[in-house]
Amino acid sequence: MEPAAPGAIVTLKDVAAASGVSISTASRALDERTTSRSAAAAHVRKIAEELGYRRNSFASSLRRGETRTLGVLVPRLSDTVMALMFEAMERAASARGYFAMVASSGDDPDDERRAAETLLDRNVDGLILATARLDDDLPKLLRQRGVAHALVLRTDGVSPSALGDDETGGYLAVRHLIDLGHRDIAVITGPGFTSTGTARLNGARKALQEAGIEPRQEWLIAAGYGIENGYTAGEALLTHDPRTRPTAIFAANDNIAMGIMAAAHRHGVTIPDDLALVGYNDTPLSARLPTPLSSVHVPLDQIAATAVDLIVNPGTEPHIRRAMPTLIPRQSSGKPKHFSN
């Protein structure tokens, strides 16, 4: 069968006529959501390919009251984890026939609200928020308005959410340091308004409590998630006499850990000989640093796929789903000096 002339538009009616079926039958055969395996449907798809037919998914979605588009809201795309999460979200959405559209908020509640409204004005079929704060009203407003949405990486404990088990992750990181022989352990956690920061700190506290270690309050530091936050925290912890500073630090993300590495280098503190260090998220750079960073791996592809499913298949249980993290030990975490053989 000859394909259409260059520039000519092949319609569904053309495909149906060439296939010898009705327009509705041709439409069903070409619907990517419910692709039939029958011989008749395969014949229609073959004819469509030969003719050069391109399905107008946008028009089809509008007829169904859908745009097959998901709005994804992140604090900032300059954050490695958020950029990786959006890429994972794009893959997960595409696999289900959706397009992902991103906006950023800078972790500011007012900007988050405006960005969400902008995405909704574009008739997205649902919102996926990586911006949820424990003091944030947006998820509650979305529930009240009946807007399809899911929270990702963070949760408010109520809205559908896909995230890592942050409490378990914090526990694994500090338990690893304790098992190496450390007792003078500092924890640099994320902002208190995030479920990630709170849960990772809770997990760290649990591990310390199990080992009978009472943490020094000045060694439990709430910081932002940027490299500069880690550097500032490192400056506060590593300028003291070696006998009165921690021998190990759990940093609640890899950016914080890299900032601590920079501060350690400035003060002549060697990792891991003088200071053991564990990060979180296992970003690609962590394994390629001059001193490879021990880190807690979080399965972003699994979390992204779960978030999309919570939108596409609303009402499924459980509506808050936590993926299990894994500790990846590397060179940055070693025994304290007095435990060396």
Side-chain angles (χ1 to χ4, degrees), residues 20-89:
V21 299
S22 67
I23 293 176
S24 60
T25 298
S27 179
R28 286 193 298 272
L30 297 171
D31 190 339
E32 69 279 2
R33 299 172 306 154
T34 56
T35 302
S36 172
R37 297 180 182 274
S38 71
H43 173 68
V44 172
R45 289 193 292 273
K46 182 173 182 294
I47 294 296
E49 183 178 356
E50 291 174 351
L51 290 174
Y53 172 74
R54 289 176 57 86
R55 182 177 177 81
N56 189 336
S57 298
F58 181 70
S60 300
S61 296
L62 287 179
R63 287 193 293 272
R64 297 191 299 265
E66 301 173 345
T67 61
R68 308 293 288 179
T69 303
L70 299 176
V72 182
L73 191 53
V74 300
R76 56 189 62 81
L77 281 171
S78 58
D79 182 291
T80 303
V81 174
M82 291 299 167
L84 291 171
M85 172 52 68
F86 179 66
E87 289 179 359
M89 201 72 66

Side-chain angles (χ1 to χ4, degrees), residues 3-327:
I9 297 175
V10 179
T11 67
L12 183 62
K13 183 178 179 181
D14 295 330
V15 174
S19 304
V21 299
S22 67
I23 293 176
S24 60
T25 298
S27 179
R28 286 193 298 272
L30 297 171
D31 190 339
E32 69 279 2
R33 299 172 306 154
T34 56
T35 302
S36 172
R37 297 180 182 274
S38 71
H43 173 68
V44 172
R45 289 193 292 273
K46 182 173 182 294
I47 294 296
E49 183 178 356
E50 291 174 351
L51 290 174
Y53 172 74
R54 289 176 57 86
R55 182 177 177 81
N56 189 336
S57 298
F58 181 70
S60 300
S61 296
L62 287 179
R63 287 193 293 272
R64 297 191 299 265
E66 301 173 345
T67 61
R68 308 293 288 179
T69 303
L70 299 176
V72 182
L73 191 53
V74 300
R76 56 189 62 81
L77 281 171
S78 58
D79 182 291
T80 303
V81 174
M82 291 299 167
L84 291 171
M85 172 52 68
F86 179 66
E87 289 179 359
M89 201 72 66
E90 282 187 311
R91 291 190 292 271
S94 178
R96 291 154 181 79
Y98 283 79
F99 174 75
M101 178 187 301
V102 70
S104 60
S105 70
D107 245 338
D108 180 273
D110 292 334
D111 288 343
E112 176 197 36
R113 185 82 57 85
R114 283 191 288 269
E117 292 294 345
T118 298
L119 289 169
L120 291 173
D121 286 345
R122 282 157 175 74
N123 295 318
V124 295
D125 294 333
L127 288 177
I128 296 177
L129 310 179
T131 52
R133 302 164 56 109
L134 297 176
D135 58 356
D136 184 9
D137 287 333
L138 180 57
K140 180 181 177 181
L141 292 174
L142 295 175
R143 293 195 298 271
Q144 291 173 343
R145 291 168 57 179
V147 175
H149 69 287
L151 311 184
V152 68
L153 294 180
R154 304 177 184 178
T155 183
D156 67 349
V158 182
S159 282
S161 307
L163 63 157
D165 189 330
D166 291 302
E167 185 166 329
T168 295
Y171 174 88
L172 291 174
V174 174
R175 184 74 251 180
H176 171 62
L177 295 170
I178 293 170
D179 289 344
L180 289 169
H182 293 278
R183 295 188 66 83
D184 297 324
I185 301 171
V187 178
I188 315 301
T189 188
F193 60 75
T194 63
S195 64
T196 49
T198 301
R200 290 171 197 174
L201 176 59
N202 289 342
R205 285 183 179 276
K206 181 180 178 182
L208 293 168
Q209 184 178 22
E210 278 186 1
I213 299 172
E214 183 64 35
R216 292 171 55 168
Q217 289 305 306
E218 65 268 28
W219 287 358
L220 303 178
I221 301 176
Y225 279 134
I227 293 176
E228 68 282 0
N229 303 115
Y231 183 84
T232 300
E235 285 279 292
L237 290 170
L238 301 177
T239 55
H240 304 292
D241 186 299
R243 293 167 296 182
T244 61
R245 69 188 182 207
T247 64
I249 298 176
F250 164 47
N253 80 350
D254 290 351
N255 282 341
I256 295 174
M258 284 186 270
I260 291 169
M261 283 180 161
H265 178 75
R266 180 173 185 270
H267 292 285
V269 176
T270 303
I271 297 172
D273 294 338
D274 301 323
L275 178 72
L277 182 62
V278 177
Y280 204 103
N281 287 316
D282 190 31
T283 53
L285 184 59
S286 62
R288 296 170 175 82
L289 293 167
T291 301
L293 177 66
S294 298
S295 189
V296 177
H297 177 77
V298 181
L300 295 183
D301 281 306
Q302 178 185 343
I303 292 170
T306 299
V308 174
D309 284 340
L310 287 169
I311 297 285
V312 176
N313 302 303
T316 55
E317 295 293 340
H319 71 284
I320 297 179
R321 306 181 196 175
R322 292 178 172 85
M324 191 56 60
T326 308
L327 177 73

